Amino acid sequence: MSRFILVVATAVVIFGGLQWSVPRWAAMQLAKQIATQDGGVKPNVEIAAMPFWILAQGQFQAVYIKADNVRADGMMVSQAIVNWQGGKVSVSALSHKQLVVEKAGRVKVEIVLDGPALSAFLAQQGPIQNPKVTISRGVMTIQGQLLIGQLRVPLDAKGTLSVSADKKSIIFHPTSVDGLHLPVLTDLQIFQIDSLKLPVPMVIRSVALRNNELVVKATTP
């Protein structure tokens, strides 16, 4: 009987060690892979998978990623936080360094951008040419040229941001242009989340201007 108890206790210890080490190892590999994509900045990654062997099937209970000063699509992001729960990915696709989501689960994303990062992002998106963005005291200023058809109109506007009714876009509401207060707001769409071609559908939950930064929160629908 004592030998049986010893075997059971040994098995429990081994299982406990693997349950701790395997998700930790997988998190380290994921962090290294992300680092190769963003210029070498290794993020903080945590993976919860119980029992640990579900990872071999591409399943997990939760994946948490926090990256500071990460480069994504040529743009420097001050901070990015991803909390993904109850998802499943294709293991065969991962072996070819491709992310194919088989079960979306629940994804929460928070991204923090400063003025220079927003300027670079808007330069990629259009319709604002040569944009320069500054954020101060909860107000965003956008300078550049607004492309209307074939015309380029000088733009120097201050305003606030909101999320569109379909939760797919960020809308800029100018309160003044060239220092002149507008009697009627002329809204301008500056971001469309579907343009990112994310592996899972996402909607924008909130957008805020604080501490000279833009904070965007998005989730799965």
Side-chain angles (χ1 to χ4, degrees):
M1 185 67 179
S2 60
R3 180 175 295 180
F4 174 76
I5 295 175
L6 178 60
V7 170
V8 172
T10 302
V12 169
V13 171
I14 293 174
F15 178 84
L18 291 173
Q19 184 61 61
W20 178 84
S21 61
V22 172
R24 185 179 178 87
W25 175 85
M28 291 175 60
Q29 300 307 307
L30 177 56
K32 289 180 180 178
Q33 184 62 34
I34 294 174
T36 62
Q37 302 296 321
D38 64 19
V41 179
K42 188 178 294 186
N44 176 33
V45 179
E46 298 176 11
I47 296 178
M50 182 71 181
F52 64 87
W53 56 75
I54 66 173
L55 286 172
Q57 303 170 355
Q59 300 182 64
F60 50 85
Q61 274 87 39
V63 172
Y64 175 83
I65 303 172
K66 180 181 178 181
D68 296 318
N69 299 318
V70 59
R71 185 170 296 277
D73 295 330
M75 177 179 61
M76 184 61 70
V77 177
S78 300
Q79 186 177 85
I81 299 175
V82 179
N83 193 330
W84 189 359
Q85 298 180 351
K88 182 179 180 181
V89 298
S90 169
V91 176
S92 60
L94 285 177
S95 64
H96 294 88
K97 297 184 178 181
Q98 297 178 346
L99 178 59
V100 176
V101 178
E102 296 183 348
K103 179 183 177 183
R106 181 69 172 171
V107 184
K108 296 181 180 180
V109 177
E110 180 176 320
I111 298 176
V112 180
L113 303 168
D114 59 13
L118 282 168
S119 300
F121 179 78
L122 290 180
Q124 296 176 0
Q125 296 292 309
I128 303 173
Q129 306 293 308
N130 303 315
K132 179 182 179 182
V133 179
T134 56
I135 302 171
S136 178
R137 299 179 181 179
V139 176
M140 176 181 289
T141 300
I142 302 179
Q143 297 173 311
Q145 295 86 42
L146 181 62
L147 188 62
I148 303 178
Q150 301 297 321
L151 298 177
R152 290 188 179 185
V153 180
L155 176 67
D156 186 352
K158 294 182 179 180
T160 59
L161 299 177
S162 70
V163 180
S164 63
D166 63 0
K167 301 185 183 302
K168 289 289 187 177
S169 305
I170 295 177
I171 307 300
F172 176 67
H173 303 278
T175 55
S176 65
V177 177
D178 292 329
L180 299 176
H181 292 282
L182 299 176
V184 179
L185 295 181
T186 304
D187 295 342
L188 178 65
Q189 177 181 296
I190 63 172
F191 170 69
Q192 225 283 339
I193 195 167
D194 290 340
S195 67
L196 297 181
K197 299 179 181 179
L198 300 172
V200 295
M202 301 283 290
V203 294
I204 303 169
R205 294 300 181 185
S206 67
V207 57
L209 297 171
R210 67 187 189 206
N211 300 326
N212 298 325
E213 295 175 322
L214 169 63
V215 182
V216 181
K217 296 183 179 180
T219 69
T220 44

